[in-house]
Amino acid sequence: NKELFVIADEFKGKNISGKIVTNLDDEGSFWVVSYLANLNNYTIEQDSFDYKILLAEMKRYDIKYFVSYRNRGDMRINKNIYFYNNYEEIFISGATNSTIYKLKN
């Protein structure tokens, strides 16, 4: 699938490296993207969770990046002050309907 290569190239072009997690339902495709971009992909094993849990798990496993797909209904980022206090937006993907965030130190 050409789109997976495009997404991986986008990550590499933005110097995204290390560990990453996403709220994408199709983890299989994201495993491929992670492999192509030399990233370590971690999965979220719950359908519904809040940002405090996400933050704790990312810190626990030293995960730097979160890829948020905006069509995922249970992850409402808009107007969430807690989220923006702990994550910085890196870029909005041109290839997908997603935004990549980095965990603030």
Side-chain angles (χ1 to χ4, degrees):
N1 189 330
K2 181 181 176 183
E3 181 181 272
L4 302 179
F5 287 89
V6 170
I7 297 167
D9 286 344
E10 205 173 45
F11 286 170
K12 289 189 279 187
K14 296 292 184 178
N15 296 316
I16 304 295
S17 62
K19 299 176 183 178
I20 195 164
V21 66
T22 182
N23 66 341
L24 183 63
D25 287 330
D26 181 10
E27 277 291 334
S29 292
F30 204 77
W31 280 103
V32 173
V33 169
S34 296
Y35 173 78
L36 294 171
N38 295 315
L39 298 168
N40 297 315
N41 184 36
Y42 285 72
T43 60
I44 300 172
E45 298 296 330
Q46 299 176 18
D47 287 336
S48 181
F49 56 90
D50 67 27
Y51 296 109
K52 290 180 183 178
I53 293 171
L54 177 64
L55 177 64
E57 290 297 300
M58 288 180 72
K59 285 183 175 181
R60 177 180 174 192
Y61 294 104
D62 194 31
I63 301 169
K64 293 181 185 178
Y65 298 98
F66 171 59
V67 181
S68 176
Y69 283 82
R70 290 181 290 281
N71 59 351
R72 174 83 184 244
D74 62 343
M75 291 293 290
R76 300 200 191 326
I77 292 177
N78 294 337
K79 300 179 185 175
N80 188 316
I81 299 301
Y82 183 83
F83 185 86
Y84 286 110
N85 285 337
N86 291 286
Y87 302 87
E88 66 178 296
E89 183 178 302
I90 302 298
F91 73 99
I92 297 173
S93 172
T96 64
N97 190 27
S98 67
T99 304
I100 292 70
Y101 297 93
K102 184 175 182 178
L103 188 63
K104 292 180 181 178
N105 292 333

